């Protein structure tokens, strides 16, 4: 893990470009953090983005599986062993396409963030295990099975992030897990149409059966009363998870409260947009407008409260 400072600085710049190019709703929230924490968040986000891209691409299944194996070996060698794998020397010239060079380019920054903020490495490996599930599973029978997937691809990311943000006392596992689950379920609702077009239906089969709404109807974009009741049920579950996870804000440092409050407030607003226009998720990608985002940002930038109250 002994990367030179020049390598580390170049790697952080590479991660920042990667995070910015993702156009994620989360990325602007990092701006409220001090520089060192913001750079660490760039590295964590770049790791997550790259890990997901290795699986969510057009390459043959065997190619994606082998790429994930090599990526796990790279992470292990760089974060868990004394001698890291060699990394490219000029990160600024690396094409940001998915590939081993991109992964190795971000590794000095990720290793620095892990060391600086004592991020438990097992959270990062959980993310790799989670995206690996997408190689073999395109549906889930029960909510419990889906929750296991969400905890790996989302809650594990949140558990890594709180080490960067700072918190009091023992690691606040439960609220962080609940919020990660709420974030991922919100994404699943927003992306119903896109995922169904790729043959993926993340909503539990037991929920579909409860409202007598089938996968074929979802893929065909059938919007009727059954679909409305299905979305209403899922939204109610996700609201409850956000409310439980909101307790995390009380345990975070002032920096952490700002970024966490922003992220939850924006995504809770996204959930409310979905709830108010459920049929829209079958026809377009729902997002939160610029003006509501600015209002949310103003609230958390000016005076971050010690409690997070959700409607």
């Amino acid at each position: 893990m002994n990367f030179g400072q020049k390598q580390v600085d170049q790697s952080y710049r590479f991660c920042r470009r990667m995070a910015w190019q993702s156009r994620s709703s989360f990325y602007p929230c990092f701006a409220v953090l001090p520089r060192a924490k913001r750079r660490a968040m760039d590295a964590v986000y770049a790791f997550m983005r790259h890990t997901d891209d290795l699986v969510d691409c057009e390459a043959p299944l065997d190619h994606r599986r082998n790429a994930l194996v090599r990526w796990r070996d790279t992470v292990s060698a760089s974060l868990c062993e004394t001698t890291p794998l060699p990394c490219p020397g000029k990160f600024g010239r690396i094409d940001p396409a998915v590939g081993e060079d991109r992964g190795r380019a971000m590794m000095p920054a990720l290793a620095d963030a892990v060391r600086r903020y004592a991020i438990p490495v097992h959270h990062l490996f959980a993310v790799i295990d989670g995206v690996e599930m997408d190689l073999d599973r395109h549906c889930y029978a029960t909510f419990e099975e889906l929750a296991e997937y969400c905890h790996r691809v989302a809650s594990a990311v949140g558990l890594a992030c709180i080490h960067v943000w700072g918190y009091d006392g023992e690691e606040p596992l439960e609220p962080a897990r609940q919020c990660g689950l709420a974030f991922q379920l919100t994404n699943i609702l927003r992306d119903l149409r896109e995922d169904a077009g790729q043959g993926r239906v993340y909503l539990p089969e037991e929920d579909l059966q409860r409202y007598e709404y089938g996968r074929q109807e979802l893929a065909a974009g059938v919007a009727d009363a059954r679909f409305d009741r299905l979305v209403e049920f899922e939204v109610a579950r996700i609201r409850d998870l956000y409310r439980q996870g909101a307790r995390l804000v009380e345990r975070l440092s002032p920096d952490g409260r700002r970024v966490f409050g922003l992220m939850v407030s924006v995504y809770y607003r996204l959930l409310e947009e979905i709830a108010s226009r459920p049929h829209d998720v079958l026809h377009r990608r729902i997002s939160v407008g610029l003006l509501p985002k600015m209002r949310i940002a103003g609230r958390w930038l000016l005076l971050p409260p010690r409690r997070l109250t959700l409607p």
Side-chain angles (χ1 to χ4, degrees):
M1 204 183 295
N2 297 319
F3 296 104
Q5 189 58 48
K6 184 176 180 180
Q7 272 189 312
V8 171
D9 290 340
Q10 288 177 329
S11 181
Y12 271 124
R13 288 193 292 271
F14 181 84
C15 290
R16 186 176 186 182
R17 288 197 303 274
M18 244 188 95
W20 180 80
Q21 290 169 357
S22 72
R23 305 297 184 186
S24 166
S25 297
F26 284 151
Y27 179 69
C29 300
F30 303 165
V32 304
L33 293 169
R35 180 175 182 269
K37 291 185 178 182
R38 185 175 67 247
R39 294 210 311 170
M41 286 300 300
D42 287 340
V44 171
Y45 186 84
F47 163 81
M48 183 273 291
R49 182 74 273 152
H50 177 68
T51 303
D52 188 62
D53 286 347
L54 289 174
V55 170
D56 191 13
C57 65
E58 300 297 326
L61 180 61
D62 287 346
H63 179 89
R64 286 179 281 164
R65 196 183 303 279
N66 291 334
L68 206 58
V69 168
R70 292 193 298 271
W71 177 229
R72 186 182 279 109
D73 289 343
T74 298
V75 175
S76 178
S78 298
L79 302 185
C80 305
E81 301 175 11
T82 56
T83 305
L85 293 175
C87 293
K90 296 182 179 180
F91 305 131
R93 297 183 182 178
I94 292 176
D95 187 332
V98 177
E100 293 184 24
D101 279 354
R102 189 175 79 163
R104 292 186 178 185
M106 73 181 66
M107 196 50 63
L110 183 63
D112 184 72
V114 166
R115 176 190 59 80
R116 189 181 298 271
Y117 295 102
I119 299 173
V121 177
H122 65 84
H123 293 323
L124 304 182
F125 284 108
V127 176
I128 299 175
D129 292 340
V131 300
E132 187 175 31
M133 294 173 70
D134 276 330
L135 294 175
D136 301 306
R137 298 195 64 169
H138 297 130
C139 60
Y140 293 87
T142 66
F143 176 72
E144 288 70 26
E145 291 180 3
L146 176 62
E148 179 185 357
Y149 166 77
C150 293
H151 285 318
R152 291 180 179 180
V153 299
S155 297
V157 177
L159 287 165
C161 291
I162 62 175
H163 286 267
V164 177
W165 301 343
Y167 58 84
D168 297 325
E170 296 181 358
E171 188 177 27
L173 293 173
E174 279 312 303
R177 284 174 177 160
Q178 289 157 343
C179 255
L181 183 53
F183 284 145
Q184 189 63 21
L185 291 174
T186 303
N187 282 335
I188 285 171
L189 279 186
R190 181 196 61 192
D191 299 338
L192 276 179
R193 177 174 173 271
E194 180 182 344
D195 288 336
Q198 298 175 355
R200 297 175 180 175
V201 178
Y202 289 101
L203 293 183
E205 184 64 32
E206 63 181 5
D207 294 355
L208 297 173
Q209 292 178 0
R210 184 196 306 252
Y211 295 101
E212 299 180 342
Y213 189 86
R215 298 183 201 170
Q216 296 81 4
E217 292 162 306
L218 180 59
V222 175
D224 56 18
R226 295 170 302 159
F227 180 75
D228 289 345
R229 290 194 295 271
L230 173 63
V231 172
E232 183 179 3
F233 174 80
E234 303 296 345
V235 166
R237 170 189 277 156
I238 301 169
R239 283 188 183 127
D240 187 56
L241 287 166
Y242 275 122
R243 289 167 186 148
Q244 294 178 55
R247 296 173 296 152
L248 178 61
V249 76
E250 302 168 22
R251 299 283 306 279
L252 297 174
S253 69
D255 296 334
R257 287 200 297 272
R258 283 190 176 90
V259 69
F260 177 72
L262 269 169
M263 292 168 68
V264 171
S265 298
V266 168
Y267 253 63
Y268 194 85
R269 178 61 182 265
L270 174 60
L271 180 67
E272 292 305 306
E273 293 285 341
I274 294 171
S276 66
R277 303 191 304 277
H279 292 184
D280 283 9
V281 300
L282 297 176
H283 306 290
R284 66 181 182 87
R285 186 181 178 90
I286 293 180
S287 61
V288 178
L290 179 59
L291 185 57
K293 284 183 180 179
M294 291 176 64
R295 289 172 177 164
I296 292 170
R299 171 193 171 198
W300 286 97
L301 286 172
L302 294 175
L303 187 64
R306 294 194 62 85
R307 290 182 180 273
L308 178 56
T309 302
L310 299 173

